[in-house]
Amino acid sequence: MNLDRRHRRSGVAILTAVVTIAIMVAIVTEVTYLSRSKSVIAYNQRNRVQAYWLARSGVNIYTLILAANNQLGQNSYIQQFGLGDSLWQMIPYLNTGLMRMLFATEGSNSVSDESIEQFKTDGTVSEEVSELTREGTSVFNDRNFLDFEGDFSAELVDNESRIDLNQLNSDLPLQEIPAAQQIFSLMNSEEAAQWFLEQNIDRWEIIGNIKDWVDIDSVRSAGLGGYEDNLYNTLEPPYLTKNAPFDTIEEVRLVDGWNGEVCERYCEKLTIWSNGKFNLNSFDEEMHRATIRASAITPINDATLDACFVSNVENSVLSVWDIAVFNNANDYASFIQNNCGIEIDKSKLQNMTSTSKVFTVTSTGLVGNSSVTLQTVIDYNSQGAGEVKYWRIE
């Protein structure tokens, strides 16, 4: 009898010990998990904060460049050579990762193939490259100017090189609005015209849909007429036309006809910040082609435009476009006449300028697996230091 009691007591003790150990293991595991989770969160949060300030560095550098550019543009001596808006165009991109790769491979330094392949693949630099670029001295102190954790890349774009959608809010008929003409001309290459035909898309109709989005009336500007809201009130969920200016360029995807491949093709050439100005000196070839199509006295084909953009500087990969500077619409029309043989209707070169005043800076900071992208729009039309019109953190 006593033996059975001792066995029962022993079994209870073992069970109690097992349960106690199980509880302790669960508690320790939970505490360890929570501790590790908080540590990872804190680490990622630290990286995100660092990434944010790296992105701010890109914005701040371009703010300094633009401020200097604005001051140079007010110098009459510089203006007479057509260089008053050239400083920012010399530095369209900043990329500390690329700088690290360049500095790491100079002189006797050698970088492994794996580090080179990593940079080619995702644009990030390895710790090997980072360490090489932190070594050495600079003119400021004993630290290299790239001696910091992480990297940032920044891009500067002037909005006067794009078409301002908010300018479609006009009392003029759709096809007489300069911004609408420019959009249509952008879509009017032979390849583009064929693509729209195959997609059964009326170009003037979808341009009219943008006008309807920003104007204050409720009647469609193109197509078969009717009410603007009829395009959207059967959607799921339904919504109404805004009848007010765009607040972001991404908003254009809400406009009927612009939420698919059309936007993929052309939204890069659109803006909402330019105040309706066009800088002839910062157009890319596609925008030059659109401007010529829109203003040519007689219709022109793609072959004529192709010949216009062929390099004709002897023994050079440059074309006359690379060295041309336009002070006004008359200069531009004369240049097209002399170099392309295309007669331009100067009255159609409206709102042309030789300098840019509104810029978009997009800067991304990267630390570890954390990245932060800042996008800001700075307007130099009224303030010498620039006025921030838009600021977004991603």
Side-chain angles (χ1 to χ4, degrees):
M1 193 71 177
N2 291 336
L3 183 60
D4 290 340
R5 289 178 180 175
R6 284 198 297 271
H7 285 168
R8 286 198 295 271
R9 290 174 182 172
S10 177
V12 171
I14 293 174
L15 180 60
T16 301
V18 170
V19 171
T20 301
I21 293 171
I23 292 173
M24 292 298 296
V25 168
I27 293 174
V28 170
T29 301
E30 181 69 13
V31 169
T32 302
Y33 173 78
L34 290 175
S35 176
R36 180 172 177 78
S37 296
K38 290 180 180 180
S39 176
V40 170
I41 292 172
Y43 176 78
N44 289 334
Q45 185 62 31
R46 187 212 66 161
N47 284 355
R48 183 168 175 80
V49 170
Q50 288 183 316
Y52 169 80
W53 286 105
L54 284 174
R56 280 291 297 268
S57 297
V59 173
N60 292 340
I61 290 173
Y62 270 128
T63 300
L64 290 173
I65 292 172
L66 292 173
N69 183 84
N70 197 42
Q71 291 298 314
L72 287 174
Q74 299 174 19
N75 186 299
S76 58
Y77 181 77
I78 292 176
Q79 285 179 344
Q80 68 180 333
F81 292 100
L83 301 176
D85 197 43
S86 59
L87 180 59
W88 69 267
Q89 297 185 51
M90 297 177 184
I91 316 172
Y93 304 101
L94 291 171
N95 189 318
T96 58
L98 180 59
M99 292 180 191
R100 290 186 192 279
M101 292 299 297
L102 293 174
F103 292 138
T105 55
E106 71 177 1
S108 59
N109 292 333
S110 61
V111 176
S112 66
D113 293 340
E114 290 78 8
S115 294
I116 296 175
E117 192 60 36
Q118 177 180 330
F119 185 75
K120 288 181 179 180
T121 302
D122 56 20
T124 61
V125 297
S126 65
E127 187 59 31
E128 171 198 13
V129 172
S130 295
E131 287 300 322
L132 285 173
T133 55
R134 290 173 185 158
E135 298 173 356
T137 60
S138 71
V139 296
F140 304 106
N141 51 41
D142 292 335
R143 297 180 61 186
N144 191 291
F145 80 101
L146 289 173
D147 187 7
F148 55 85
E149 183 180 357
D151 285 293
F152 67 86
S153 60
E155 178 182 7
L156 178 68
V157 174
D158 70 314
N159 288 276
E160 284 85 353
S161 65
R162 301 182 176 189
I163 305 169
D164 194 333
L165 297 180
N166 285 330
Q167 300 304 310
L168 270 72
N169 182 12
S170 170
D171 294 330
L172 293 172
L174 176 64
Q175 297 189 18
E176 295 180 17
I177 301 174
Q181 294 172 349
Q182 193 82 354
I183 296 174
F184 183 83
S185 297
L186 192 66
M187 299 173 166
N188 203 30
S189 68
E190 294 169 8
E191 181 275 331
Q194 180 62 34
W195 183 83
F196 279 106
L197 181 63
E198 293 172 355
Q199 303 299 315
N200 194 28
I201 297 175
D202 185 317
R203 287 166 287 177
W204 280 116
E205 182 175 350
I206 63 175
I207 295 171
N209 291 343
I210 293 180
K211 181 181 186 304
D212 295 334
W213 189 264
V214 298
D215 65 19
I216 60 175
D217 63 41
S218 59
V219 181
R220 294 188 65 188
S221 302
L224 301 176
Y227 291 103
E228 299 168 353
D229 292 337
N230 289 343
L231 294 173
Y232 310 103
N233 56 22
T234 58
L235 300 178
E236 187 58 45
Y239 53 91
L240 304 177
T241 52
K242 187 177 184 180
N243 290 338
F246 288 94
D247 291 312
T248 68
I249 192 62
E250 289 79 10
E251 191 181 321
V252 74
R253 293 182 179 272
L254 295 175
V255 179
D256 186 68
W258 287 87
N259 58 350
E261 191 172 346
V262 171
C263 190
E264 299 299 326
R265 280 173 166 251
Y266 298 106
C267 282
E268 189 179 85
K269 302 299 181 184
L270 308 176
T271 184
I272 60 171
W273 301 108
S274 76
N275 300 314
K277 298 292 185 179
F278 292 106
N279 186 353
L280 294 165
N281 294 313
S282 63
F283 276 176
D284 61 13
E285 182 177 321
E286 192 173 359
M287 285 295 293
H288 277 302
R289 286 173 178 262
T291 302
I292 296 171
R293 290 192 197 100
S295 57
I297 291 179
T298 58
I300 53 177
N301 57 35
D302 285 2
T304 301
L305 281 176
D306 291 341
C308 183
F309 286 90
V310 171
S311 173
N312 53 8
V313 178
E314 188 175 356
N315 299 322
S316 174
V317 295
L318 296 174
S319 74
V320 289
W321 292 93
D322 297 312
I323 56 178
V325 176
F326 309 109
N327 293 312
N328 49 53
N330 289 334
D331 285 354
Y332 191 75
S334 298
F335 177 88
I336 302 300
Q337 175 72 56
N338 295 333
N339 292 279
C340 305
I342 300 171
E343 190 174 359
I344 296 295
D345 182 353
K346 297 177 184 178
S347 68
K348 292 185 177 180
L349 295 176
Q350 300 183 39
N351 299 323
M352 298 298 174
T353 180
S354 59
T355 58
S356 295
K357 293 294 184 179
V358 188
F359 300 86
T360 298
V361 181
T362 304
S363 180
T364 300
L366 178 64
V367 178
N369 293 323
S370 298
S371 67
V372 174
T373 297
L374 301 180
Q375 187 177 67
T376 183
V377 176
I378 310 173
D379 188 339
Y380 288 88
N381 278 296
S382 58
Q383 297 185 24
E387 178 185 1
V388 175
K389 293 287 191 177
Y390 177 76
W391 181 273
R392 185 177 71 181
I393 303 175
E394 296 178 356

